[in-house]
Amino acid sequence: MNLGFLGIQFSFGLQQSNMAPIYNYLGAEEAHLPLLFLAGPVTGLLVQPIVGAMSDRTLSRFGRRSPYFLFGAILCSLCLIAMPFSPALWIAVSLLWILDAANNITMEPYRAYISDRLVADQQSRGFLMQASFTGLAQTLAYIAPTLFVALGIDRHAVDANGIPIITKAAFATGAVLSTATIGWSLYRVRELPLTPDQRAAIEAQPRSPGATLAEIGHAIRAMPPAMRQLGWMMLFQWYAIFCYWQYIVNALALGVFQTSDPASSQYRDAALLNGQIGAFYNLVAFGAGFVLVPLARRIGAKFTHSLCIALAGAAMLALPLIRDPVLLFLPMLGIGIGWASMMGTPYILLARAIPSARTGVYMGIFNMMIVIPMLLQTLTLPLIYNPLLGGDPRHVLLLAGALMLVAAACGLRVTDRRDAEATDV
C-alpha cells in the first residue's frame, strides 16, 4: 500500500537535491534562490486543500482518491522527463510549478487513501511506514547521480546548458518510478468500497467549486485545538528544512571546496557530495521509521517527534563547522532521524485529532501548515540573506538549526489525544 510513496518521494528527493544546482547552472543568483522555489509552497497552499475536499466528495467507479493521485503521477512523470532539458532559467522555474502542482495533486489523496484503509490502531504504523518509504525513495533519489557515475557516466560531462548528464539520467529514472509505483500500489490494494450510508452522505453534499471552498473555510474555523497547536511546531520546522534544502549545496561548495562558482568542477563535486550525504540521511530515515513505531507507542508521539527534530537541529548547527567530507556523515544521523519523524509522527497526532469523515479536507489543510512556512521562507530569506546572514550560505544552515530547536520546544506543547484519554481514565 505504501509503495506508491516510493515514486512520489523519489520525485521530491530529486527536487531537494538537484533544483538549486540546476538553477545555479542556468545562471540564478544565490540570494534569489528561495524565490525560485516559490512553486512548492504556492501550489501546495492552493492545490492540496481543494483536492482534499474534492476527494472527500468524489464518487466514481475508480474510487474517491485514485483518480487524483493517478493523474498527478502521470503529469509528474512528464515534468521530470522535461526538467533537466531546460534551456533557460525561466523554463526550469515554469516546469517546477507544474511538477509541484502534480505532486500536490498526488500527495494529499494518497495520504487520505492510507488513512481510509487503516483502523485507528494501525494508523501509527501506517504513517510511520510512509516515513520509511520516504527515506528509501529519497535515498535512491540522492544517490542516483553517484550510481550513474559508478556505471560509467562521466561525472563532469554536461550538456550545452551546463546541466550534468548524470542529472538527466536521475530525472528519467524518477519519471518511470512516479507512475509505476503508484499504479502498482493501487492495483495491489484497492480502495475500500463505500457503505450505503457513506455514499448517501456524500451524494447529499453540494459539489460546486463554491461548496468546496466553503467546506475548506468551515473546516478551518472548526479546526481541533490540537491541530492548531501543531501549526506552531510546523511553522518553525518547515521554515528550517526549506533553508537546508536550498543552501546545503552552496554551503558545501564554500565550506568544503572553497568555491562559490556554479560553473566550476568543485561546485559539481559539492552537488555530488550532497547527493551522497543526502542519500545517507534518507537511508537513516528509512531505518528510523521502523524504530519510531515502538518508540511513539512507548513515550508518546509528541515526545518522540520533539526529540527527533532536536537532533536534526543540533546536526544543522554542526554542519558549517565541518571541513572533512567524511565527517559530514555524522550529523546526517540527526538529520535523518528528524526527517523520518517529520514525515510520519505529526500525522499520528493529526489523525487522532480530526473527525474521520473529514480526513481529506483536514489532510489538505494540514499541508497548508507545511507550505505556509515555506512560502514565508521564500519571501523573507532573500531580505535577510545579505544584511543579516552576510551572504554566506553556511549562516543559513545555522539559522535552520536554531529554528528546528524552537520547533522541538513547540512540539512539547501539543495535546496528544491518546495521552489525554489515558489521563482521563
Side-chain angles (χ1 to χ4, degrees):
M1 182 168 54
N2 273 307
L3 183 64
F5 243 59
L6 185 73
I8 296 172
Q9 294 299 331
F10 193 97
S11 172
F12 277 114
L14 289 174
Q15 292 182 52
Q16 293 166 17
S17 59
N18 291 283
M19 285 313 303
I22 286 174
Y23 285 157
N24 284 320
Y25 298 142
L26 295 173
E29 293 185 23
E30 192 172 89
H32 296 161
L33 279 179
L35 293 174
L36 300 179
F37 282 87
L38 197 59
V42 171
T43 56
L45 184 64
L46 298 176
V47 172
Q48 284 216 22
I50 293 174
V51 170
M54 289 174 63
S55 71
D56 280 343
R57 298 163 182 248
T58 295
L59 292 173
S60 78
R61 62 191 183 93
F62 301 106
R64 285 197 295 172
R65 320 295 185 183
S66 305
Y68 297 97
F69 57 71
L70 281 175
F71 171 77
I74 294 170
L75 184 59
C76 175
S77 294
L78 295 175
C79 292
L80 288 173
I81 291 172
M83 179 64 76
F85 290 91
S86 300
L89 182 61
W90 72 268
I91 294 178
V93 172
S94 300
L95 282 172
L96 185 63
W97 278 85
I98 303 172
L99 177 60
D100 274 324
N103 278 329
N104 281 294
I105 290 171
T106 303
M107 177 69 73
E108 191 287 324
Y110 201 89
R111 288 197 185 277
Y113 154 74
I114 300 295
S115 182
D116 292 342
R117 290 283 320 191
L118 300 177
V119 298
D121 290 343
Q122 294 177 326
Q123 287 181 351
S124 294
R125 184 179 179 187
F127 286 122
L128 287 172
M129 287 304 98
Q130 282 190 2
S132 288
F133 273 92
T134 296
L136 176 60
Q138 295 192 3
T139 296
L140 296 174
Y142 272 84
I143 202 66
T146 299
L147 293 178
F148 285 116
V149 170
L151 291 174
I153 300 178
D154 184 357
R155 66 193 296 170
H156 296 306
V158 299
D159 65 10
N161 301 310
I163 298 175
I165 303 302
I166 53 176
T167 301
K168 291 187 172 184
F171 272 73
T173 303
V176 174
L177 287 175
S178 179
T179 302
T181 57
I182 287 177
W184 177 256
S185 287
L186 185 59
Y187 171 72
R188 296 294 297 172
V189 185
R190 301 294 178 89
E191 288 191 60
L192 292 175
L194 296 173
T195 66
D197 289 343
Q198 289 174 323
R199 180 172 289 274
I202 293 173
E203 290 174 343
Q205 295 176 351
R207 290 180 177 80
S208 66
T212 299
L213 295 175
E215 165 69 5
I216 295 171
H218 180 271
I220 291 174
R221 292 191 297 273
M223 188 184 301
M227 190 173 174
R228 295 181 186 275
Q229 294 167 346
L230 282 167
W232 289 105
M233 178 191 76
M234 300 287 281
L235 170 64
F236 293 108
Q237 72 180 27
W238 284 100
Y239 193 111
I241 200 68
F242 219 40
C243 287
Y244 174 84
W245 289 336
Q246 290 171 359
Y247 282 94
I248 180 60
V249 174
N250 296 65
L252 293 176
L254 189 59
V256 178
F257 296 97
Q258 291 79 53
T259 185
S260 57
D261 180 10
S264 66
S265 61
Q266 292 90 344
Y267 186 90
R268 290 193 291 273
D269 286 338
L272 202 59
L273 175 60
N274 178 56
Q276 293 162 2
I277 64 174
F280 180 71
Y281 90 65
N282 279 289
L283 184 62
V284 171
F286 172 65
F290 294 95
V291 177
L292 292 180
V293 173
L295 184 62
R297 289 175 178 169
R298 180 177 294 272
I299 68 173
K302 71 176 183 180
F303 294 108
T304 297
H305 186 61
S306 290
L307 174 62
C308 290
I309 60 175
L311 290 173
M316 291 177 184
L317 292 173
L319 275 172
L321 307 177
I322 299 174
R323 299 292 179 266
D324 186 342
V326 175
L327 295 180
L328 289 170
F329 287 88
L330 185 58
M332 292 302 111
L333 292 170
I335 292 177
I337 292 170
W339 179 233
S341 188
M342 286 176 65
M343 291 303 295
T345 312
Y347 292 94
I348 300 172
L349 296 167
L350 176 67
R352 291 171 179 163
I354 61 178
S356 59
R358 306 178 84 177
T359 297
V361 67
Y362 273 122
M363 286 287 182
I365 292 171
F366 193 60
N367 187 69
M368 294 169 65
M369 297 182 182
I370 297 175
V371 298
I372 288 176
M374 290 181 174
L375 181 60
L376 290 174
Q377 190 268 355
T378 61
L379 296 176
T380 58
L381 195 67
L383 302 177
I384 65 173
Y385 184 71
N386 287 313
L388 296 183
L389 301 176
D392 191 327
R394 294 168 296 184
H395 295 166
V396 179
L397 298 190
L398 294 177
L399 173 64
L403 292 177
M404 198 65 85
L405 295 178
V406 175
C410 291
L412 295 175
R413 299 178 59 85
V414 176
T415 300
D416 186 346
R417 199 169 78 176
R418 190 198 71 167
D419 295 339
E421 289 172 351
T423 302
D424 292 340
V425 173

